[in-house]
Amino acid sequence: MNFVRDMIFLGLYLIGMSGIIYWRKRQKDPSLFFYSSTWTFTLLLMYFVVLEIFYSTYYFLIPLLFFSIFAFSYFTEKRRLINGLLFNVFLISFGIYLITLLFETQNVFLGGLFALIAIPLLLVFLFGIYALIVFLFWNGITVLKRESHSLANLLTLLLGLFLTLFLIVDFFLLKYLPEWINVFLSAIPFILFYLFIVFYNFLTVSFLYQFNRPRYNQDYIVVLGAGLIDGEKVSPLLAKRINKAIAFYRAQSRATLNPPILLMSGGQGPDEKIPEAIAMKQYALEQGIPERDILVETNSTTTLENMRFSKEIMDQRQKGPYRAIFSSNNYHIFRAGLYARQAKLKANGIGAKTAFYYLPNAFLREYIAVLVMNKKRHMIICGLIVAAAACLSLITLIF
């Protein structure tokens, strides 16, 4: 009976996956990962529900509750950092649920699924920091070879150096220091652990935000500016943002015969000959976009100003409500969404693909920027950790 049930679900999964692959490969935007992940999650949930009904247990209600809380928060407002935390709480509850169900049912499939999840986690626990350091050095050197030698492009290399020094000090120096100093210095790994949790939540919500799929009923697409080559030419990175907006423009035009307005947003930097928005408009015209469907905003110098000034233009043109999205690179859209929320602009982002080697450094830069946005909260928590370590150090010194 168990074998027949498992084979039925396996057959359904393979048939469904084959249908999704066939269907999506015929589309201009396949989004295979999104649709295949959704199908996998749906069928897994169905399998667990059937399994628990068979064994008269209902543990699935616990992770389902946490997922419902996450889903409510996410679909109410995608541009919130807490969504990453809520999703990770759901994942933890789901992991505990799998372990509990495995012990209850002794199901072979569950055992294989648990091993598939547990083995990588064990490897990360045993060798994670060493593998991370090697990866950071590799990535930092790769970025330096292919990009400019700016501080923003040195972040992964600097993090790799910091973690290496931290391990060296931990292994060879701390054991020679007095115990009370070691107790005080224990604040450092706790702070690093806290910052890692914050980074993991940020990475989670940034990953989830990539699945944003706006409907083809938009009135505007705000295209966020970036630096120009020689002060007047669109860079490859900026071109990807514009191309993403143009792809959506054309898809909506085909679907509804009512294309959105492209609002190019970007001012003129001190080293630029023309405003970024003007160069972006010229690029879009060269791609065949009619001039009547392009607006420019030429005063902004930051992402927050991109959102504020673009909103002012759209508010002036549309007396009633309107629908808008914005386009940027995939690593940047979540933080841009936070700024849109600050500017009271109801818009979510679509992200252009970025070269893989550039993503770690880019996400690290985004993370630091988001930390600074919420610096008071993080300074208070880190301060409490230092204060607790200082108190324990003082107690150790006295007693």
Side-chain angles (χ1 to χ4, degrees):
M1 176 64 184
N2 292 344
F3 178 77
V4 173
R5 179 194 62 218
D6 292 351
M7 287 301 101
I8 290 173
F9 270 94
L10 180 61
L12 285 173
Y13 177 74
L14 293 176
I15 291 170
M17 189 62 72
S18 299
I20 287 171
I21 293 172
Y22 176 78
W23 167 47
R24 295 311 304 174
K25 282 197 171 180
R26 297 167 67 90
Q27 310 299 316
K28 295 203 172 195
D29 180 18
S31 300
L32 270 176
F33 184 80
F34 171 76
Y35 286 96
S36 59
S37 299
T38 302
W39 173 245
T40 300
F41 177 78
T42 302
L43 210 67
L44 270 178
L45 182 62
M46 289 172 57
Y47 179 80
F48 293 145
V49 170
V50 170
L51 191 64
E52 289 210 66
I53 290 174
F54 182 80
Y55 285 94
S56 300
T57 56
Y58 298 95
Y59 301 124
F60 71 90
L61 293 174
I62 297 173
L64 188 60
L65 171 64
F66 285 111
F67 182 79
S68 300
I69 295 171
F70 155 74
F72 176 79
S73 174
Y74 182 76
F75 289 108
T76 301
E77 174 56 86
K78 296 182 177 71
R79 305 166 298 175
R80 286 195 291 207
L81 283 165
I82 197 172
N83 292 332
L85 176 63
L86 292 174
F87 188 78
N88 285 322
V89 170
F90 155 69
L91 288 181
I92 293 170
S93 70
F94 186 70
I96 295 172
Y97 163 72
L98 281 182
I99 296 172
T100 305
L101 194 60
L102 177 61
F103 279 108
E104 286 283 339
T105 64
Q106 302 295 310
N107 183 274
V108 175
F109 170 74
L110 278 178
L113 182 62
F114 179 75
L116 196 65
I117 298 172
I119 291 174
L121 289 177
L122 180 62
L123 292 174
V124 168
F125 179 77
L126 293 175
F127 308 107
I129 190 166
Y130 306 106
L132 176 62
I133 289 172
V134 172
F135 174 77
L136 289 172
F137 276 114
W138 168 82
N139 182 256
I141 293 169
T142 302
V143 171
L144 286 179
K145 285 181 178 178
R146 302 188 182 187
E147 304 290 337
S148 63
H149 294 186
S150 63
L151 179 61
N153 289 334
L154 289 172
L155 294 178
T156 50
L157 192 60
L158 292 174
L159 181 58
L161 287 170
F162 171 77
L163 292 177
T164 302
L165 290 173
F166 175 78
L167 288 181
I168 292 172
V169 170
D170 186 51
F171 286 151
F172 299 107
L173 181 62
L174 292 185
K175 59 184 177 181
Y176 298 109
L177 296 176
E179 186 179 357
W180 67 273
I181 294 181
N182 280 326
V183 171
F184 179 71
L185 292 178
S186 67
I188 296 175
F190 278 103
I191 290 173
L192 289 177
F193 180 73
Y194 166 72
L195 293 177
F196 170 77
I197 294 298
V198 175
F199 175 72
Y200 187 71
N201 288 331
F202 163 74
L203 203 61
T204 300
V205 73
S206 296
F207 174 75
L208 293 170
Y209 200 68
Q210 305 298 317
F211 293 110
N212 179 44
R213 301 182 62 79
R215 296 180 179 179
Y216 293 135
N217 61 353
Q218 306 302 317
D219 298 303
Y220 298 94
I221 305 177
V222 179
V223 187
L224 304 181
L228 302 176
I229 297 175
D230 298 328
E232 57 184 347
K233 184 181 176 183
V234 167
S235 66
L237 183 137
L238 179 53
K240 289 183 178 180
R241 299 182 180 188
I242 304 170
N243 289 339
K244 185 69 177 180
I246 289 174
F248 191 93
Y249 169 95
R250 288 175 174 158
Q252 179 168 318
S253 183
R254 286 192 301 270
T256 66
L257 302 179
N258 184 30
I261 299 294
L262 298 182
L263 204 172
M264 306 300 183
S265 178
Q268 184 173 349
D271 58 342
E272 293 175 336
K273 300 175 183 177
I274 58 174
E276 293 166 5
I278 300 299
M280 294 159 68
K281 176 181 178 180
Q282 184 58 41
Y283 180 89
L285 290 171
E286 292 170 0
Q287 304 306 309
I289 304 300
E291 188 168 8
R292 67 176 181 273
D293 290 338
I294 305 175
L295 295 174
V296 293
E297 178 283 300
T298 59
N299 296 316
S300 57
T301 57
T302 65
T303 305
L304 180 57
E305 288 182 354
N306 284 144
M307 299 302 182
R308 283 177 176 166
F309 298 159
S310 297
K311 183 177 185 297
E312 288 176 4
I313 291 174
M314 292 184 287
D315 287 346
Q316 289 169 4
R317 283 177 55 89
Q318 301 272 148
K319 299 306 179 184
Y322 55 85
R323 290 175 290 271
I325 59 174
F326 61 86
S327 171
S328 187
N329 297 91
N330 52 6
Y331 63 83
H332 182 242
I333 56 171
F334 178 71
R335 181 162 67 95
L338 295 179
Y339 285 127
R341 191 179 177 204
Q342 281 188 19
K344 295 180 172 55
L345 174 60
K346 190 176 180 181
N348 284 296
I350 51 175
K353 290 182 180 179
T354 308
F356 174 76
Y357 77 88
Y358 193 72
L359 284 176
N361 199 84
F363 271 114
L364 195 55
R365 186 169 68 241
E366 294 296 304
Y367 165 66
I368 292 171
V370 170
L371 273 183
V372 173
M373 289 174 69
N374 302 278
K375 57 182 178 293
K376 287 185 179 179
R377 180 203 314 161
H378 301 306
M379 288 176 67
I380 289 172
I381 294 174
C382 291
L384 290 173
I385 293 173
V386 172
C391 291
L392 291 173
S393 176
L394 186 62
I395 292 171
T396 303
L397 179 63
I398 294 173
F399 296 102

